[in-house]
Amino acid sequence: MRTLIKLSLLSAVIFASASAVAADLKIAPYYSLSFTEGITVPNKGNWMFSANLVNDLGLIVQPSEKHRIIGFYELKYTGPGFRKQEGEKFSDRAMDHIMVLRHHYNFMPEYTLKTQFDYMTEYKRTGTNEVWGSGLYDFNRAGGSLGLERKINADLKATAQLQYHFLSFPNYTDLLSEFQTGGEDAEASTGKQNHGIIQAGLKATYKDINGGLDVSMLNYQKQKVITDSIQADGTYYSAELQKDMTIAFSADYTRKLWDLLVLTPSLGYKIKTSNQNYQHFTVATSTVPVKYIGKYYDYQELSIVIPVSVMLGSRWEYFFNTEWDWRFYSARPPRDMENNFVDGTQGNSLMIVSTGFTLKPNEVTRTVFYYGYQSQTSNMKFEKYLPYNYDGHSFGISFNYSY
Amino acid sequence: MTRTFSFGRIMTMKKTALLLSILISASFLSPARAADSGAGVPQEVIDLGLKFLDDPGDFFFNLHSDNEDFSPVPTKRRGAIRFNFFPTFFPLTWGSLNLKVKLLNADGNIPQVDISGMYGDMLALRAIPSSDDGNSVKPVFNDYSVGLIISRAATEKTKIFGGGKYSAISMNVQLSTPVVMGAFQMSSLGFQVADTFFFTGISHEVGKDSFVVAQAAYGFKYKKIVSRIMMSHKHLELGMDIFPEGLFVFHPFLAWHWYF
């Protein structure tokens, strides 16, 4: 009850202060609620209901022509369903709380300084026996960014941005390491996923074309790099800390034809490198690795997305989106169905086709009826824990209410 | 050994069995009975039954949420009384009244503030008489919510609102016939669920006394998400409550309200 009183007071203060300053400031609230419910039918495993929910509440305040402050809170739930690329099971689910405070300062006619502070908590459930808030991969992310935008002329503008975020995983522990050291390393293995991310980016916009380059560096606080030989402490971890780097290029183009058809093709290319290596154990209970593979996590990824939408009068819209995604590992060999490494390097190919209709019955409501087909193929054939080769269908309905 | 039953005891058992049937039927697909019937039951239905037995409190809390109304009072009204018909009063005989009253009119810089409260009771439980021998436990059922709604007009027709609410339900019923599902056995239905929620939403007027309402709430204790999409007319409310992690994700509901 005390929490309720505090909440009510907080809400009153937020709304009242927002209202109080409304007479002098330009102020605009923003709200959006999207809910998607569908059925996902893979060719392997059980069909499942998938549910996603995104709830945004925001406020845009413009105290003067030069300053604009944007604050918003987002609650996001991602339920079971198909995933992009590998790393998650279809049944995984996550809940995110995101808070953002952004300030734009137009200090010269051509220049805008953009600062942002943000905080995020993600709760993750990898199984139905996990309680929200106790997930192994729950994390908190805190950080901010500083960006400078320059309008070079009426058609061209460029932005440079620098970000720093720190991710902490309060519940994470290295289960394999604990097992191998008989639990003696349990305390030392907590926080192994904690890392900081430094990201530098450049973005340019020319008319309807956007292009960007982002470089991200992940520095792990405690996670050591695995070596090919046993160390003095009895483990395979060296003294070197893990460092990952991602370089990403992206470009997109928006083209409207006859006020009827909108095309927004985009292209993305990503290079990921890591100093982390891999020791392979045949079964989870094994303490003796059978194979060492360096650069196991390095890969390159290419993605192409072609969304097309066609207006059908003022209330209906038809859309047809196609997405391809290819990932090629530099040194990771694929495995056969029995978990044995085979020659070559692992490659995954993903295709997603989605189509449907959007209905806009009034200013705030959008309803989407969709069908999607997703197909992933890989030369990785060991699928005891994660799916690599599958195709499946999904269809459902999505509601969006926003102002 | 010979056991004797008083008439009241037999009536209690019959009515408790009836109540149990109603409660289990409330899960729409009657998973527990379906699973008892043996082979041929789809795995999904068995999973639903097990999920219900694992946490019946969550399922009843979701039904309790169907009875609530935490949308703002329309600008030209002082308040509203709401009665939820489906899926609580029918088929569960779970009656409820939600009263919301405008405390503060929006005026210039001041937002509109409403207070809302709900009280519910399951009538079938009241029909179970106390036994003469004193062996049975009188069923206990508590169901209420209270909260504040603060809203601000974004346009002439659109309001954005938010607030907080305290929402609670508790139940304690001894089942005369235990529900058995594999290794699970439930001989009583007892739970107490209470949480404080923060909620936000949007209300858009589409006609005289007709509104499209969408809202989402987050409970701090159980990290529970509850969302509602609703079409509200002069008296009739039709909508869906959405519980992404619930036994049933969608709860279609039908309610009746009176503005004053």
Side-chain angles (χ1 to χ4, degrees), chain A residues 4 7-8 11-12 15 19 31 33 35 37 47 53 55 57 77 93 95 97 123 125 132 362-364 399 401 403, chain B residues 109 146 148 150 152 154-155 164-166 196-197 200-202 204 212 214 218 220 223 227 229 242 244-245 249-250:
Chain A
L4 174 63
L7 264 180
S8 302
S11 303
F15 276 76
S19 302
Y31 181 77
L33 172 67
F35 179 76
E37 172 72 16
W47 59 272
L53 185 142
N55 184 65
L57 177 67
Y77 170 85
R93 55 207 64 196
M95 186 194 296
H97 296 270
Y123 300 117
R125 290 177 77 196
W132 286 116
N362 54 55
E363 301 98 289
V364 303
F399 302 96
Y401 301 85
Y403 170 78
Chain B
N109 296 330
V146 63
L148 279 180
I150 296 147
R152 180 182 155 82
T155 68
K165 65 177 178 181
Y166 180 76
T196 303
F197 285 82
T200 56
I202 188 169
H204 180 72
V212 171
Y218 174 73
F220 292 94
K223 298 180 173 51
S227 184
I229 297 168
I242 300 159
E245 291 281 299
V249 173
F250 285 117

Short mmCIF file of all heavy atoms in Angstrom, two decimals, chain A residues 4 7-8 11-12 15 19 31 33 35 37 47 53 55 57 77 93 95 97 123 125 132 362-364 399 401 403, chain B residues 109 146 148 150 152 154-155 164-166 196-197 200-202 204 212 214 218 220 223 227 229 242 244-245 249-250:
data_model
loop_
_atom_site.label_atom_id
_atom_site.label_comp_id
_atom_site.label_asym_id
_atom_site.label_seq_id
_atom_site.Cartn_x
_atom_site.Cartn_y
_atom_site.Cartn_z
N LEU A 4 1.89 1.99 -3.36
CA LEU A 4 0.80 2.59 -4.12
C LEU A 4 0.73 4.09 -3.87
O LEU A 4 0.59 4.88 -4.80
CB LEU A 4 -0.52 1.92 -3.74
CG LEU A 4 -1.78 2.53 -4.34
CD1 LEU A 4 -1.76 2.43 -5.85
CD2 LEU A 4 -3.02 1.85 -3.80
N LEU A 7 3.58 5.75 -5.55
CA LEU A 7 3.35 5.76 -6.99
C LEU A 7 2.36 6.83 -7.38
O LEU A 7 2.56 7.55 -8.36
CB LEU A 7 2.78 4.40 -7.43
CG LEU A 7 3.74 3.37 -7.94
CD1 LEU A 7 2.98 2.12 -8.30
CD2 LEU A 7 4.46 3.90 -9.15
N SER A 8 1.28 6.89 -6.61
CA SER A 8 0.24 7.87 -6.92
C SER A 8 0.80 9.28 -6.81
O SER A 8 0.54 10.13 -7.65
CB SER A 8 -0.94 7.69 -5.97
OG SER A 8 -1.43 6.38 -6.09
N SER A 11 3.10 9.86 -9.78
CA SER A 11 2.32 10.09 -11.00
C SER A 11 1.71 11.49 -10.97
O SER A 11 1.73 12.20 -11.97
CB SER A 11 1.20 9.06 -11.13
OG SER A 11 1.72 7.78 -11.11
N ALA A 12 1.18 11.87 -9.81
CA ALA A 12 0.55 13.18 -9.70
C ALA A 12 1.57 14.28 -9.95
O ALA A 12 1.29 15.25 -10.66
CB ALA A 12 -0.07 13.34 -8.33
N PHE A 15 2.47 14.31 -13.76
CA PHE A 15 1.42 14.90 -14.57
C PHE A 15 1.19 16.37 -14.23
O PHE A 15 0.99 17.19 -15.10
CB PHE A 15 0.11 14.11 -14.41
CG PHE A 15 0.04 12.91 -15.31
CD1 PHE A 15 0.76 11.77 -15.03
CD2 PHE A 15 -0.74 12.93 -16.46
CE1 PHE A 15 0.70 10.66 -15.86
CE2 PHE A 15 -0.81 11.83 -17.29
CZ PHE A 15 -0.09 10.69 -17.00
N SER A 19 1.87 19.54 -16.47
CA SER A 19 0.79 20.47 -16.76
C SER A 19 1.17 21.89 -16.34
O SER A 19 0.85 22.85 -17.01
CB SER A 19 -0.47 20.03 -16.02
OG SER A 19 -0.83 18.74 -16.41
N TYR A 31 2.30 8.31 -26.13
CA TYR A 31 1.98 7.00 -25.59
C TYR A 31 1.81 6.01 -26.73
O TYR A 31 1.25 6.34 -27.79
CB TYR A 31 0.68 7.04 -24.77
CG TYR A 31 0.34 5.70 -24.18
CD1 TYR A 31 1.03 5.23 -23.06
CD2 TYR A 31 -0.62 4.87 -24.75
CE1 TYR A 31 0.76 3.99 -22.52
CE2 TYR A 31 -0.91 3.63 -24.22
CZ TYR A 31 -0.21 3.19 -23.10
OH TYR A 31 -0.48 1.96 -22.59
N LEU A 33 1.04 1.64 -27.23
CA LEU A 33 0.90 0.27 -26.73
C LEU A 33 0.75 -0.65 -27.94
O LEU A 33 -0.15 -0.45 -28.76
CB LEU A 33 -0.32 0.14 -25.82
CG LEU A 33 -0.68 -1.29 -25.39
CD1 LEU A 33 0.39 -1.87 -24.48
CD2 LEU A 33 -2.02 -1.32 -24.67
N PHE A 35 0.56 -4.72 -29.00
CA PHE A 35 0.47 -6.10 -28.54
C PHE A 35 0.29 -7.01 -29.76
O PHE A 35 -0.54 -6.77 -30.61
CB PHE A 35 -0.71 -6.30 -27.59
CG PHE A 35 -0.82 -7.73 -27.13
CD1 PHE A 35 0.05 -8.21 -26.16
CD2 PHE A 35 -1.75 -8.59 -27.68
CE1 PHE A 35 -0.01 -9.53 -25.76
CE2 PHE A 35 -1.82 -9.91 -27.28
CZ PHE A 35 -0.95 -10.38 -26.32
N GLU A 37 -0.12 -11.06 -30.89
CA GLU A 37 -0.38 -12.44 -30.47
C GLU A 37 -0.46 -13.30 -31.73
O GLU A 37 -1.17 -12.96 -32.68
CB GLU A 37 -1.69 -12.53 -29.69
CG GLU A 37 -2.16 -13.92 -29.36
CD GLU A 37 -1.33 -14.61 -28.28
OE1 GLU A 37 -0.60 -13.92 -27.57
OE2 GLU A 37 -1.40 -15.86 -28.19
N TRP A 47 4.09 -26.55 -31.79
CA TRP A 47 3.63 -25.21 -32.12
C TRP A 47 3.42 -24.45 -30.81
O TRP A 47 3.25 -25.08 -29.76
CB TRP A 47 2.35 -25.25 -32.95
CG TRP A 47 1.19 -25.95 -32.31
CD1 TRP A 47 0.90 -27.27 -32.37
CD2 TRP A 47 0.18 -25.36 -31.48
NE1 TRP A 47 -0.22 -27.55 -31.64
CE2 TRP A 47 -0.69 -26.39 -31.08
CE3 TRP A 47 -0.09 -24.06 -31.03
CZ2 TRP A 47 -1.79 -26.17 -30.26
CZ3 TRP A 47 -1.19 -23.83 -30.21
CH2 TRP A 47 -2.02 -24.89 -29.85
N LEU A 53 4.68 -7.62 -26.30
CA LEU A 53 4.01 -6.41 -25.85
C LEU A 53 5.04 -5.30 -25.67
O LEU A 53 6.10 -5.53 -25.09
CB LEU A 53 3.29 -6.68 -24.53
CG LEU A 53 2.43 -5.55 -23.96
CD1 LEU A 53 1.17 -6.13 -23.32
CD2 LEU A 53 3.17 -4.71 -22.95
N ASN A 55 5.09 -1.22 -24.41
CA ASN A 55 4.32 -0.12 -23.84
C ASN A 55 5.27 1.06 -23.62
O ASN A 55 6.24 0.94 -22.88
CB ASN A 55 3.70 -0.58 -22.51
CG ASN A 55 2.82 0.46 -21.89
OD1 ASN A 55 1.79 0.81 -22.44
ND2 ASN A 55 3.22 0.97 -20.74
N LEU A 57 5.67 5.22 -22.69
CA LEU A 57 5.10 6.47 -22.20
C LEU A 57 6.20 7.52 -22.26
O LEU A 57 7.28 7.31 -21.70
CB LEU A 57 4.62 6.32 -20.76
CG LEU A 57 4.06 7.59 -20.10
CD1 LEU A 57 2.77 8.03 -20.77
CD2 LEU A 57 3.82 7.36 -18.62
N TYR A 77 7.80 -6.81 -23.44
CA TYR A 77 7.76 -8.25 -23.15
C TYR A 77 7.91 -9.01 -24.47
O TYR A 77 7.19 -8.74 -25.43
CB TYR A 77 6.43 -8.62 -22.49
CG TYR A 77 6.21 -10.11 -22.38
CD1 TYR A 77 6.73 -10.83 -21.31
CD2 TYR A 77 5.50 -10.79 -23.37
CE1 TYR A 77 6.54 -12.20 -21.23
CE2 TYR A 77 5.31 -12.16 -23.29
CZ TYR A 77 5.83 -12.85 -22.22
OH TYR A 77 5.65 -14.21 -22.14
N ARG A 93 11.84 -16.24 -23.04
CA ARG A 93 11.05 -15.02 -22.96
C ARG A 93 11.82 -13.98 -22.15
O ARG A 93 12.63 -14.33 -21.30
CB ARG A 93 9.69 -15.30 -22.35
CG ARG A 93 9.77 -15.97 -21.01
CD ARG A 93 8.56 -16.81 -20.70
NE ARG A 93 8.41 -17.94 -21.59
CZ ARG A 93 7.30 -18.65 -21.71
NH1 ARG A 93 6.26 -18.33 -21.02
NH2 ARG A 93 7.23 -19.66 -22.53
N MET A 95 11.72 -9.74 -20.43
CA MET A 95 10.97 -8.54 -20.06
C MET A 95 11.97 -7.40 -19.85
O MET A 95 12.93 -7.56 -19.10
CB MET A 95 10.21 -8.80 -18.75
CG MET A 95 9.28 -7.68 -18.35
SD MET A 95 8.74 -7.87 -16.63
CE MET A 95 7.82 -9.38 -16.70
N HIS A 97 12.74 -3.24 -19.03
CA HIS A 97 12.31 -1.92 -18.56
C HIS A 97 13.39 -0.95 -19.02
O HIS A 97 14.56 -1.11 -18.66
CB HIS A 97 12.21 -1.88 -17.04
CG HIS A 97 11.18 -2.81 -16.49
ND1 HIS A 97 9.88 -2.43 -16.28
CD2 HIS A 97 11.25 -4.11 -16.11
CE1 HIS A 97 9.19 -3.45 -15.80
NE2 HIS A 97 10.00 -4.47 -15.69
N TYR A 123 14.87 -8.89 -17.60
CA TYR A 123 14.63 -10.17 -16.93
C TYR A 123 14.45 -11.21 -18.02
O TYR A 123 13.73 -10.99 -18.98
CB TYR A 123 13.38 -10.12 -16.07
CG TYR A 123 13.41 -9.07 -14.98
CD1 TYR A 123 12.52 -8.02 -14.96
CD2 TYR A 123 14.36 -9.15 -13.97
CE1 TYR A 123 12.56 -7.06 -13.97
CE2 TYR A 123 14.41 -8.20 -12.97
CZ TYR A 123 13.50 -7.16 -12.97
OH TYR A 123 13.55 -6.21 -11.98
N ARG A 125 13.79 -15.40 -18.91
CA ARG A 125 13.42 -16.75 -18.48
C ARG A 125 13.76 -17.71 -19.59
O ARG A 125 13.23 -17.62 -20.69
CB ARG A 125 11.92 -16.83 -18.19
CG ARG A 125 11.47 -16.08 -16.97
CD ARG A 125 9.98 -16.17 -16.81
NE ARG A 125 9.58 -17.46 -16.28
CZ ARG A 125 8.33 -17.93 -16.32
NH1 ARG A 125 7.39 -17.23 -16.89
NH2 ARG A 125 8.02 -19.09 -15.81
N TRP A 132 10.67 -14.84 -12.63
CA TRP A 132 11.13 -13.55 -13.10
C TRP A 132 12.03 -12.89 -12.06
O TRP A 132 11.67 -12.84 -10.88
CB TRP A 132 9.94 -12.62 -13.37
CG TRP A 132 9.14 -12.92 -14.60
CD1 TRP A 132 7.84 -13.30 -14.63
CD2 TRP A 132 9.57 -12.83 -15.96
NE1 TRP A 132 7.44 -13.47 -15.94
CE2 TRP A 132 8.48 -13.18 -16.77
CE3 TRP A 132 10.77 -12.50 -16.58
CZ2 TRP A 132 8.55 -13.22 -18.16
CZ3 TRP A 132 10.84 -12.54 -17.96
CH2 TRP A 132 9.75 -12.88 -18.73
N ASN A 362 -9.04 4.64 -36.90
CA ASN A 362 -9.08 6.02 -36.39
C ASN A 362 -7.66 6.51 -36.16
O ASN A 362 -6.69 5.80 -36.46
CB ASN A 362 -9.92 6.09 -35.11
CG ASN A 362 -9.44 5.11 -34.06
OD1 ASN A 362 -8.27 5.12 -33.69
ND2 ASN A 362 -10.34 4.25 -33.59
N GLU A 363 -7.55 7.70 -35.57
CA GLU A 363 -6.22 8.31 -35.47
C GLU A 363 -5.26 7.56 -34.57
O GLU A 363 -4.05 7.69 -34.72
CB GLU A 363 -6.35 9.75 -34.92
CG GLU A 363 -7.19 10.69 -35.73
CD GLU A 363 -8.60 10.81 -35.17
OE1 GLU A 363 -9.38 9.84 -35.29
OE2 GLU A 363 -8.93 11.85 -34.61
N VAL A 364 -5.75 6.82 -33.62
CA VAL A 364 -4.84 6.21 -32.64
C VAL A 364 -4.69 4.69 -32.78
O VAL A 364 -3.82 4.09 -32.17
CB VAL A 364 -5.27 6.53 -31.18
CG1 VAL A 364 -5.34 8.01 -30.94
CG2 VAL A 364 -6.57 5.85 -30.84
N PHE A 399 -2.09 -5.35 -32.36
CA PHE A 399 -2.84 -4.12 -32.07
C PHE A 399 -1.85 -3.04 -31.66
O PHE A 399 -0.93 -3.31 -30.90
CB PHE A 399 -3.81 -4.33 -30.91
CG PHE A 399 -4.80 -5.45 -31.13
CD1 PHE A 399 -4.56 -6.71 -30.62
CD2 PHE A 399 -5.96 -5.23 -31.86
CE1 PHE A 399 -5.46 -7.74 -30.81
CE2 PHE A 399 -6.87 -6.25 -32.06
CZ PHE A 399 -6.62 -7.51 -31.54
N TYR A 401 -1.88 1.08 -30.33
CA TYR A 401 -2.59 2.29 -29.97
C TYR A 401 -1.52 3.32 -29.63
O TYR A 401 -0.72 3.08 -28.74
CB TYR A 401 -3.49 2.07 -28.75
CG TYR A 401 -4.51 0.98 -28.99
CD1 TYR A 401 -4.16 -0.35 -28.77
CD2 TYR A 401 -5.78 1.27 -29.45
CE1 TYR A 401 -5.07 -1.36 -29.01
CE2 TYR A 401 -6.70 0.27 -29.69
CZ TYR A 401 -6.34 -1.04 -29.46
OH TYR A 401 -7.23 -2.04 -29.70
N TYR A 403 -0.33 7.68 -29.62
CA TYR A 403 -0.53 9.10 -29.90
C TYR A 403 0.82 9.78 -29.75
O TYR A 403 1.47 9.65 -28.72
CB TYR A 403 -1.53 9.74 -28.93
CG TYR A 403 -1.53 11.24 -29.08
CD1 TYR A 403 -2.21 11.84 -30.14
CD2 TYR A 403 -0.79 12.04 -28.23
CE1 TYR A 403 -2.16 13.21 -30.33
CE2 TYR A 403 -0.74 13.41 -28.40
CZ TYR A 403 -1.43 13.99 -29.44
OH TYR A 403 -1.36 15.35 -29.63
N ASN B 109 -3.68 23.89 -15.84
CA ASN B 109 -2.45 23.14 -15.57
C ASN B 109 -2.67 21.91 -14.71
O ASN B 109 -1.75 21.12 -14.51
CB ASN B 109 -1.45 24.05 -14.85
CG ASN B 109 -1.03 25.19 -15.74
OD1 ASN B 109 -1.01 25.05 -16.95
ND2 ASN B 109 -0.71 26.32 -15.14
N VAL B 146 -7.85 -0.98 -5.25
CA VAL B 146 -8.04 0.46 -5.07
C VAL B 146 -6.88 1.20 -5.71
O VAL B 146 -5.75 0.69 -5.72
CB VAL B 146 -8.17 0.81 -3.56
CG1 VAL B 146 -6.91 0.46 -2.79
CG2 VAL B 146 -8.54 2.26 -3.36
N LEU B 148 -5.49 5.17 -7.90
CA LEU B 148 -5.69 6.52 -8.41
C LEU B 148 -5.37 6.57 -9.89
O LEU B 148 -4.42 5.91 -10.35
CB LEU B 148 -4.78 7.51 -7.68
CG LEU B 148 -5.20 8.04 -6.32
CD1 LEU B 148 -4.15 9.01 -5.81
CD2 LEU B 148 -6.56 8.73 -6.38
N ILE B 150 -4.61 9.27 -12.98
CA ILE B 150 -4.30 10.66 -13.31
C ILE B 150 -4.23 10.77 -14.83
O ILE B 150 -3.52 10.00 -15.48
CB ILE B 150 -2.96 11.08 -12.68
CG1 ILE B 150 -3.13 11.04 -11.16
CG2 ILE B 150 -2.55 12.48 -13.10
CD1 ILE B 150 -1.90 10.67 -10.43
N ARG B 152 -4.44 13.24 -18.58
CA ARG B 152 -4.21 14.53 -19.19
C ARG B 152 -4.63 14.44 -20.65
O ARG B 152 -4.30 13.47 -21.35
CB ARG B 152 -2.72 14.88 -19.10
CG ARG B 152 -2.36 16.20 -19.71
CD ARG B 152 -0.86 16.45 -19.64
NE ARG B 152 -0.45 17.36 -20.69
CZ ARG B 152 -0.56 18.67 -20.61
NH1 ARG B 152 -1.07 19.22 -19.55
NH2 ARG B 152 -0.17 19.44 -21.61
N ALA B 154 -4.49 14.94 -24.42
CA ALA B 154 -3.47 15.22 -25.44
C ALA B 154 -4.10 16.01 -26.57
O ALA B 154 -3.49 16.90 -27.16
CB ALA B 154 -2.88 13.92 -25.96
N THR B 155 -5.34 15.65 -26.91
CA THR B 155 -6.13 16.41 -27.88
C THR B 155 -7.55 16.46 -27.31
O THR B 155 -7.81 15.97 -26.22
CB THR B 155 -6.16 15.72 -29.26
OG1 THR B 155 -6.92 14.51 -29.15
CG2 THR B 155 -4.77 15.40 -29.78
N GLY B 164 -1.50 4.38 -10.15
CA GLY B 164 -1.09 3.22 -9.36
C GLY B 164 -2.29 2.55 -8.74
O GLY B 164 -3.32 3.19 -8.49
N LYS B 165 -2.19 1.27 -8.52
CA LYS B 165 -3.30 0.56 -7.88
C LYS B 165 -2.76 -0.56 -7.01
O LYS B 165 -1.68 -1.12 -7.29
CB LYS B 165 -4.27 -0.01 -8.92
CG LYS B 165 -3.68 -1.07 -9.81
CD LYS B 165 -4.70 -1.66 -10.77
CE LYS B 165 -4.06 -2.70 -11.67
NZ LYS B 165 -4.95 -3.29 -12.63
N TYR B 166 -3.49 -0.86 -5.97
CA TYR B 166 -3.19 -2.02 -5.13
C TYR B 166 -4.29 -3.03 -5.39
O TYR B 166 -5.48 -2.73 -5.30
CB TYR B 166 -3.17 -1.61 -3.66
CG TYR B 166 -2.85 -2.75 -2.73
CD1 TYR B 166 -1.56 -3.22 -2.62
CD2 TYR B 166 -3.86 -3.37 -1.99
CE1 TYR B 166 -1.26 -4.28 -1.78
CE2 TYR B 166 -3.57 -4.43 -1.15
CZ TYR B 166 -2.27 -4.88 -1.05
OH TYR B 166 -1.98 -5.93 -0.23
N THR B 196 1.19 -4.33 -6.04
CA THR B 196 1.01 -2.92 -6.39
C THR B 196 1.43 -2.72 -7.83
O THR B 196 2.53 -3.14 -8.22
CB THR B 196 1.85 -2.03 -5.46
OG1 THR B 196 1.45 -2.30 -4.12
CG2 THR B 196 1.63 -0.56 -5.75
N PHE B 197 0.56 -2.10 -8.60
CA PHE B 197 0.80 -1.94 -10.03
C PHE B 197 0.99 -0.47 -10.40
O PHE B 197 0.36 0.41 -9.82
CB PHE B 197 -0.39 -2.47 -10.84
CG PHE B 197 -0.47 -3.97 -10.90
CD1 PHE B 197 -1.03 -4.68 -9.85
CD2 PHE B 197 -0.01 -4.66 -12.00
CE1 PHE B 197 -1.12 -6.06 -9.89
CE2 PHE B 197 -0.10 -6.04 -12.05
CZ PHE B 197 -0.66 -6.74 -11.00
N THR B 200 -0.20 2.62 -17.29
CA THR B 200 -0.31 3.74 -18.23
C THR B 200 -1.29 3.34 -19.32
O THR B 200 -1.47 2.15 -19.59
CB THR B 200 1.05 4.08 -18.88
OG1 THR B 200 1.56 2.90 -19.51
CG2 THR B 200 2.04 4.57 -17.87
N GLY B 201 -1.88 4.32 -19.98
CA GLY B 201 -2.83 3.97 -21.03
C GLY B 201 -3.27 5.16 -21.85
O GLY B 201 -2.85 6.30 -21.61
N ILE B 202 -4.11 4.87 -22.81
CA ILE B 202 -4.64 5.88 -23.70
C ILE B 202 -6.13 5.65 -23.87
O ILE B 202 -6.60 4.51 -23.91
CB ILE B 202 -3.90 5.85 -25.07
CG1 ILE B 202 -4.29 7.02 -25.96
CG2 ILE B 202 -4.12 4.53 -25.79
CD1 ILE B 202 -3.39 7.18 -27.18
N HIS B 204 -9.37 7.12 -26.26
CA HIS B 204 -9.68 7.94 -27.43
C HIS B 204 -11.17 7.88 -27.70
O HIS B 204 -11.75 6.80 -27.85
CB HIS B 204 -8.89 7.41 -28.65
CG HIS B 204 -9.15 8.20 -29.90
ND1 HIS B 204 -8.68 9.47 -30.09
CD2 HIS B 204 -9.84 7.88 -31.02
CE1 HIS B 204 -9.06 9.91 -31.28
NE2 HIS B 204 -9.78 8.96 -31.86
N VAL B 212 -12.23 4.10 -27.27
CA VAL B 212 -11.27 3.00 -27.42
C VAL B 212 -10.25 3.20 -26.31
O VAL B 212 -9.72 4.31 -26.15
CB VAL B 212 -10.55 3.07 -28.79
CG1 VAL B 212 -9.42 2.06 -28.84
CG2 VAL B 212 -11.52 2.82 -29.92
N ALA B 214 -6.81 1.58 -24.30
CA ALA B 214 -5.73 0.58 -24.25
C ALA B 214 -4.84 0.93 -23.07
O ALA B 214 -4.55 2.11 -22.83
CB ALA B 214 -4.92 0.61 -25.54
N TYR B 218 2.07 -2.91 -14.72
CA TYR B 218 3.19 -3.74 -14.29
C TYR B 218 3.16 -3.87 -12.77
O TYR B 218 3.12 -2.87 -12.05
CB TYR B 218 4.51 -3.11 -14.75
CG TYR B 218 5.73 -3.83 -14.23
CD1 TYR B 218 6.08 -5.06 -14.74
CD2 TYR B 218 6.50 -3.29 -13.21
CE1 TYR B 218 7.19 -5.74 -14.25
CE2 TYR B 218 7.61 -3.95 -12.72
CZ TYR B 218 7.95 -5.17 -13.25
OH TYR B 218 9.03 -5.85 -12.77
N PHE B 220 4.89 -4.81 -9.27
CA PHE B 220 6.27 -4.78 -8.79
C PHE B 220 6.69 -6.08 -8.10
O PHE B 220 7.82 -6.53 -8.22
CB PHE B 220 6.47 -3.61 -7.82
CG PHE B 220 6.39 -2.28 -8.50
CD1 PHE B 220 5.19 -1.58 -8.55
CD2 PHE B 220 7.49 -1.73 -9.12
CE1 PHE B 220 5.10 -0.37 -9.20
CE2 PHE B 220 7.41 -0.52 -9.77
CZ PHE B 220 6.21 0.17 -9.81
N LYS B 223 6.31 -9.08 -10.79
CA LYS B 223 6.78 -8.71 -12.12
C LYS B 223 5.79 -9.18 -13.18
O LYS B 223 6.13 -9.79 -14.17
CB LYS B 223 8.18 -9.28 -12.38
CG LYS B 223 9.21 -8.73 -11.41
CD LYS B 223 10.59 -9.27 -11.65
CE LYS B 223 11.64 -8.59 -10.81
NZ LYS B 223 11.36 -8.53 -9.38
N SER B 227 -2.44 -6.26 -19.49
CA SER B 227 -2.79 -5.25 -20.47
C SER B 227 -4.26 -5.37 -20.84
O SER B 227 -4.86 -6.44 -20.70
CB SER B 227 -1.90 -5.43 -21.71
OG SER B 227 -2.15 -4.40 -22.63
N ILE B 229 -7.28 -4.06 -23.81
CA ILE B 229 -7.75 -3.38 -25.01
C ILE B 229 -9.27 -3.43 -24.94
O ILE B 229 -9.84 -4.51 -24.78
CB ILE B 229 -7.25 -4.09 -26.28
CG1 ILE B 229 -5.72 -4.04 -26.36
CG2 ILE B 229 -7.86 -3.47 -27.52
CD1 ILE B 229 -5.14 -4.97 -27.42
N ILE B 242 -5.16 -8.96 -21.37
CA ILE B 242 -4.05 -9.73 -21.93
C ILE B 242 -3.04 -10.02 -20.82
O ILE B 242 -2.57 -9.10 -20.16
CB ILE B 242 -3.38 -8.95 -23.08
CG1 ILE B 242 -4.40 -8.68 -24.19
CG2 ILE B 242 -2.19 -9.71 -23.64
CD1 ILE B 242 -4.02 -7.53 -25.09
N PRO B 244 0.36 -11.91 -20.76
CA PRO B 244 1.35 -12.63 -21.59
C PRO B 244 1.85 -13.93 -20.97
O PRO B 244 2.19 -14.86 -21.69
CB PRO B 244 2.47 -11.62 -21.74
CG PRO B 244 1.83 -10.30 -21.53
CD PRO B 244 0.74 -10.52 -20.54
N GLU B 245 1.90 -14.00 -19.62
CA GLU B 245 2.41 -15.21 -18.98
C GLU B 245 1.29 -16.02 -18.32
O GLU B 245 1.56 -16.92 -17.55
CB GLU B 245 3.45 -14.82 -17.92
CG GLU B 245 4.72 -14.25 -18.49
CD GLU B 245 5.64 -15.34 -19.01
OE1 GLU B 245 6.06 -16.19 -18.24
OE2 GLU B 245 5.94 -15.33 -20.22
N VAL B 249 -3.71 -16.41 -22.31
CA VAL B 249 -3.16 -15.09 -22.62
C VAL B 249 -4.29 -14.07 -22.75
O VAL B 249 -4.21 -12.96 -22.25
CB VAL B 249 -2.30 -15.16 -23.89
CG1 VAL B 249 -1.86 -13.77 -24.32
CG2 VAL B 249 -1.09 -16.05 -23.66
N PHE B 250 -5.34 -14.46 -23.44
CA PHE B 250 -6.47 -13.55 -23.66
C PHE B 250 -7.62 -13.89 -22.72
O PHE B 250 -7.98 -15.05 -22.58
CB PHE B 250 -7.00 -13.69 -25.09
CG PHE B 250 -6.13 -13.06 -26.12
CD1 PHE B 250 -5.53 -13.82 -27.10
CD2 PHE B 250 -5.94 -11.69 -26.12
CE1 PHE B 250 -4.74 -13.24 -28.06
CE2 PHE B 250 -5.14 -11.10 -27.09
CZ PHE B 250 -4.54 -11.88 -28.06
#
